[in-house]
Amino acid sequence: MSYTFLLVLAVILLSTKILGLASGKVNMPQVVGALLAGLILGPSILNIVSVDNTISVISELGVIMLMFSAGLETDLAELKKTGLASFVIALAGVVLPLVCGTGLYLFWFRGEGDPQAVLKAIFVGVILTATSVSITVETLKEMGKLKGRVGTAILGAAVIDDILGIIALTVVSSFTNPDIQIHTVLIKIVLFFVFIAVVGFFVYKYFSHLNNAFNEKMHRRVAIYGLAFCLLLSFASEQFFGVADITGAYFAGLLLCNLPSVRAYVSRKIEICAYMLFSPVFFASVGLKTDLRGLSLSLLVFAILLLLIAILSKIIGCGLSAKLFHFSNHEALSVGIGMVSRGEVALIVAQKGASFGLVPDSLFGPVILVVIVTTLITPILLKLVMGRKPA
């Protein structure tokens, strides 16, 4: 057995912490430093750390814990108020990037005569529909604004965005794999929400009992039960319903967020675990998966245009949708910016596209560049916009 992974973890933890502190010194969220640490350590610059199975597992646990914590801190009363708004925001945040991304690809590669050009173009649009709310969640938590109207709208929209993204991914990929049935996926998504409702009823009853009888002796038991429930729901989401595990983790937290004693204790323990190991590895892994070497001038220009579309389509689509529901200009802009980050969600979609042959190797670099820049720029813009008082 090799123990190199211990050295790798030590390097990641130290570099993310050092660069995180440096980010704080220049008035940026610490997650920016963690992302830059992964970019520096990875193949794009130093190439001294690669993503192996250990890093992948730890980073996956990191994002699951982050979304579980986000669910625990969600204000259900606010979520109910912004439910319809979140759906419309998510819908606009899927449709506009999909159309714009598809159009750019067809325009840029129109002379190559590729018989799968339309399918590849649509898939590029599908990649742009993704929203990685984990970066936004960490930034809003750091700023103490996760529970507000804007934070709740972003969380709700991101969850719905994930479902819509799965449908889009399935529809496009079904044209390359005859074994995938669109109607089967849609049925599974409906069954997922039925499953959440049924399981949630019984789990909520049990944790309500624990909440009412909460005392010093059961502290550890409640925290372990809560985390176990989160992991089980994450597993069931992916394994049985084809829904992202982070969506299951978020719903696990959502089911417990109305139980004050349980929520406070479980959230505190989860945040300690995440802060010490899992979250830094996850944020660093986003940068570690990025390889920007060998980009030609033409692909670099394409990447810049794709990046502009990725940013503006979310800000305009989600921001204008928020305005329809009487969000102020400042709040609407914040919602739009909060949906910009693509992060690990777009990485997963891009990798699936590569396996289907819909994302060529030459295009993978520009796509990843868009992912990493949107992930880096989101917390910076959020802090700039939400850190100032609205006019």
Side-chain angles (χ1 to χ4, degrees), residues 83-349:
L84 180 60
S86 293
F87 177 78
V88 175
I89 290 168
L91 187 62
V94 166
V95 173
L96 192 57
L98 176 61
V99 172
C100 293
T102 301
L104 176 63
Y105 184 97
L106 290 175
F107 172 78
W108 197 262
F109 298 101
R110 62 189 181 281
E112 296 191 358
D114 186 351
Q116 282 194 312
V118 174
L119 204 56
K120 290 178 179 178
I122 295 174
F123 201 88
V124 168
V126 171
I127 295 173
L128 294 189
T129 66
T131 294
S132 173
V133 75
S134 53
I135 305 296
T136 299
V137 165
E138 184 68 11
T139 305
L140 292 175
K141 283 173 64 178
E142 193 176 308
M143 297 171 65
K145 296 188 177 182
L146 182 59
K147 291 186 179 182
R149 189 186 187 201
V150 171
T152 304
I154 291 172
L155 280 174
V159 172
I160 298 169
D161 187 286
D162 182 52
I163 302 299
L164 296 176
I166 290 170
I167 295 173
L169 173 63
T170 304
V171 170
V172 177
S173 60
S174 65
F175 288 100
T176 63
N177 186 352
D179 295 331
I180 297 177
Q181 301 294 326
I182 298 175
H183 68 275
T184 302
V185 174
L186 296 177
I187 291 172
K188 282 186 174 182
I189 291 173
V190 173
L191 289 177
F192 169 73
F193 286 105
V194 175
F195 172 77
I196 289 292
V198 174
V199 171
F201 175 79
F202 292 103
V203 170
Y204 183 81
K205 287 289 185 183
Y206 177 70
F207 276 96
S208 292
H209 168 71
L210 294 180
N211 185 73
N212 294 332
F214 197 80
N215 57 58
E216 294 295 329
K217 292 182 179 179
M218 66 169 59
H219 275 181
R220 294 181 182 176
R221 182 172 53 168
V222 170
I224 292 171
Y225 287 172
L227 180 57
F229 173 55
C230 166
L231 296 176
L232 286 171
L233 204 54
S234 299
F235 170 78
S237 300
E238 282 277 5
Q239 189 71 19
F240 303 123
F241 302 101
V243 176
D245 53 2
I246 57 176
T247 303
Y250 177 71
F251 274 105
L254 203 61
L255 289 169
L256 304 181
C257 71
N258 264 2
L259 305 172
S261 298
V262 168
R263 179 191 65 189
Y265 186 76
V266 173
S267 180
R268 187 163 66 250
K269 291 299 183 183
I270 292 298
E271 286 187 4
I272 291 173
C273 292
Y275 173 81
M276 290 294 292
L277 174 63
F278 297 101
S279 291
V281 174
F282 160 65
F283 290 120
S285 72
V286 176
L288 290 172
K289 292 175 183 176
T290 305
D291 188 353
L292 303 177
R293 298 171 298 181
L295 283 180
S296 66
L297 179 60
S298 175
L299 287 176
L300 184 59
V301 174
F302 174 77
I304 293 172
L305 294 175
L306 195 64
L307 174 62
L308 291 174
I309 286 176
I311 295 171
L312 294 177
S313 60
K314 286 287 187 180
I315 292 178
I316 294 172
C318 298
L320 289 179
S321 299
K323 283 290 295 178
L324 293 176
F325 291 88
H326 309 295
F327 282 70
S328 68
N329 291 336
H330 183 262
E331 289 174 332
L333 180 59
S334 299
V335 168
I337 291 172
M339 298 290 286
V340 165
S341 175
R342 300 316 198 270
E344 80 291 342
V345 180
L347 286 174
I348 293 170
V349 175

Side-chain angles (χ1 to χ4, degrees), residues 24-43:
K25 293 291 186 182
V26 293
N27 202 31
M28 289 193 299
Q30 292 193 22
V31 292
V32 174
L35 292 166
L36 287 174
L39 191 62
I40 293 170
L41 294 173

